[in-house]
Amino acid sequence: MDEDIFDAVVVGGGVAGCVAAYRLASAGHSVVLVERGSEPGAKNLSGGVFYCRVMEEVFPDFARVAPVERRITRNYVQFLNATSSVGIDYWDDRFADPVNAVSVLRGRLDPWLSEQCEQAGAFVMPGVRVDGLIFEGEQVVGVRAGEDELRARVVILADGVNSFIARDAGIRRKPPAGHLAVGVKSVLGLPRQAIEERFHLRGDEGVAYAVVGDATQGLAGGGFLYTNTESISIGVVVRLDDLAASRLSSSQIHDHFLNHPAYAGLLDGAEPIEYGCHLTIENGPALVREELTRPGLMIIGDAAGFTLNTGLTIRGMDLAAGSALAAATAADAALAAGDFSGAAMARYRAELDATFVGRDMRTYERAPKFLENPEMYRQVGELAADVLHRIFDLDTTPRAHLITTARRALKASPLSMRALARLGVGGTRGL
């Protein structure tokens, strides 16, 4: 065997890339992990809620040994209006053990993941920008980085949402604006005790907010907040086509959300630590249906579109890890057989379809269409608040039964019964 040829080159040192590199290196294969940043996580402004049970398959006791922030045991879903809000506050101790989800800061998590790759025997190359793929006919045989080449029997692309490498090679198309969103996030420092008091948390428990409505000033998207150990991550995600059609900037929407009166008490005295924006995926199921393999090549994680937004949960990291495990399984089989053909790489899709990753992408394939309904971002929340106002505003006039109260609120709303029914059917099918 040619010692100058790696068994696998993995491009991208995020969750997907690290999991794929770790699994293959642990199986005894020669692996190089290439990362454009000065170290994995250096260019990653994201973080979020990591539904981490899949990581237990890779790193036993992950939630205890990895540098995570808090265990998410409370989820708050909120319709936010200009002067009111309606929310569902769901706490459940069953999420504490086994740990269901954790909040993470990727600037801490990704370096730890790359260290595990190195300990498993992978060669980590930070500060290297991959410019393109190397082909021999239809076969991908490596990557180009400036004047250098890295040859490999299998190439795995985990280079993020844009995936310029696959696009430049004509394998993936540029996603339409409606399939993408821009996320703007601030990390605000607060003492641990203040976080636990304000959000009613104990120990290392954490909370995740999913917010729709005035958080994005009625544009398609939503707000988010999650608690870290001694900071809060808060921001907005706005669909690109809706943002382009408005006269607003993403930073204006972000600032509007952070200054909403409903959040004044939660954020009071918080000190800015970090601010940034990045592209994210809004319609993952549509992107995943595109080509994911070529002979000698597999595409995983965000580069392949593995993100799900149901309005209740936003998932990316668990799907990225799951796609990486599927790719590693396919690559391991190909290396054992010495077969790197298109048929051998197609095992990746079969592995995906047999796991929660492929199944969840199919289950929620209608969710993005449901979230396109403009009524979700203003009228629904306002209607819910109006119903509750009529219930709690005891102004000495006689009360009506709940059904009558709801009918009166609906009559005063721009929402029709037909539109409300359509949303109900769409939500049932999509979610």
Side-chain angles (χ1 to χ4, degrees):
M1 302 294 283
D2 189 339
E3 293 182 355
D4 293 331
I5 300 178
F6 290 95
D7 288 333
V9 168
V10 181
V11 181
V15 170
C18 285
V19 168
Y22 178 84
R23 180 54 66 93
L24 287 170
S26 297
H29 300 298
S30 59
V31 180
V32 59
L33 176 63
V34 183
E35 163 58 35
R36 185 161 63 102
S38 58
E39 67 172 352
K43 297 182 68 62
N44 198 330
L45 294 174
S46 73
V49 177
F50 194 166
Y51 296 92
C52 60
R53 288 184 183 172
V54 63
M55 295 298 280
E56 300 291 337
E57 300 178 24
V58 189
F59 307 105
D61 211 11
F62 170 80
R64 185 182 66 83
V65 300
V68 303
E69 297 295 309
R70 289 182 178 270
R71 295 173 295 124
I72 302 300
T73 56
R74 180 173 160 235
N75 291 273
Y76 189 70
V77 181
Q78 181 182 44
F79 283 97
L80 186 66
N81 309 313
T83 59
S84 63
S85 74
V86 178
I88 299 174
D89 194 345
Y90 171 49
W91 170 84
D92 200 320
D93 195 48
R94 289 174 292 183
F95 289 141
D97 186 19
V99 178
N100 178 62
V102 292
S103 56
V104 298
L105 295 170
R106 295 287 297 277
R108 295 185 61 216
L109 178 64
D110 290 8
W112 181 86
L113 290 172
S114 72
E115 288 175 8
Q116 310 314 301
C117 293
E118 288 184 313
Q119 291 175 15
F123 179 37
V124 179
M125 294 180 61
V128 176
R129 172 180 170 174
V130 172
D131 297 310
L133 300 171
I134 303 171
F135 287 88
E136 289 183 359
E138 293 294 317
Q139 189 78 25
V140 176
V141 296
V143 298
R144 289 184 296 100
E147 297 181 356
D148 297 322
E149 293 185 351
L150 289 171
R151 296 268 175 162
R153 296 173 180 86
V154 176
V155 174
I156 299 176
L157 293 184
D159 55 327
V161 175
N162 285 311
S163 191
F164 289 115
I165 299 170
R167 280 167 51 183
D168 291 346
I171 300 170
R172 304 273 293 184
R173 65 190 178 99
K174 180 180 179 180
H179 290 178
L180 297 175
V182 60
V184 187
K185 183 188 78 173
S186 288
V187 179
L188 307 176
L190 267 179
R192 178 171 188 153
Q193 183 178 353
I195 291 173
E196 291 165 9
E197 289 176 352
R198 294 181 188 187
F199 292 94
H200 310 293
L201 303 173
R202 300 173 300 176
D204 64 350
E205 287 184 338
V207 61
Y209 280 53
V211 188
V212 68
D214 195 63
T216 56
Q217 295 180 259
L219 300 183
F224 62 85
L225 178 152
Y226 54 90
T227 53
N228 305 311
T229 305
E230 294 187 316
S231 65
I232 296 169
S233 294
I234 183 171
V236 294
V237 176
V238 187
R239 209 173 66 200
L240 276 184
D241 56 347
D242 244 25
L243 181 63
S246 75
R247 296 184 178 182
L248 299 171
S249 69
S250 58
S251 60
Q252 286 175 322
I253 296 171
H254 165 275
D255 294 348
H256 174 83
F257 177 42
L258 267 62
N259 286 293
H260 194 284
Y263 285 79
L266 297 177
L267 305 181
D268 185 41
E271 295 292 333
I273 297 174
E274 181 181 276
Y275 174 87
C277 65
H278 61 94
L279 277 181
T280 186
I281 297 166
E282 189 69 14
N283 192 338
L287 299 180
V288 166
R289 287 194 290 268
E290 295 185 17
E291 196 169 8
L292 299 181
T293 64
R294 285 286 178 89
L297 175 73
M298 289 175 278
I299 307 172
I300 65 175
D302 281 352
F306 286 107
T307 298
L308 277 175
N309 177 9
T310 69
L312 301 174
T313 59
I314 299 175
R315 297 168 53 193
M317 288 178 279
D318 66 315
L319 299 170
S323 71
L325 291 176
T329 298
D332 183 58
L335 289 163
D339 179 6
F340 312 106
S341 64
M345 297 298 100
R347 179 171 176 174
Y348 167 46
R349 177 75 77 170
E351 291 287 338
L352 283 170
D353 290 343
T355 68
F356 77 95
V357 179
R359 292 178 179 179
D360 286 1
M361 297 302 288
R362 289 193 300 275
T363 296
Y364 295 110
E365 63 184 357
R366 293 181 177 179
K369 184 68 177 177
F370 170 68
L371 295 175
E372 289 179 3
N373 288 296
E375 301 94 337
M376 289 291 299
Y377 303 101
R378 201 172 293 279
Q379 289 98 328
V380 171
E382 291 172 347
L383 174 61
D386 194 20
V387 171
L388 291 172
H389 181 263
R390 290 166 185 258
I391 292 171
F392 289 103
D393 182 29
L394 302 179
D395 58 359
T396 74
T397 59
R399 297 294 90 192
H401 285 294
L402 179 60
I403 189 67
T404 302
T405 299
R407 284 174 177 167
R408 290 173 178 171
L410 181 59
K411 186 176 181 180
S413 168
L415 269 178
S416 66
M417 180 63 76
R418 189 172 189 177
L420 200 59
R422 173 174 52 80
L423 287 172
V425 171
T428 301
R429 290 177 175 174
L431 307 182

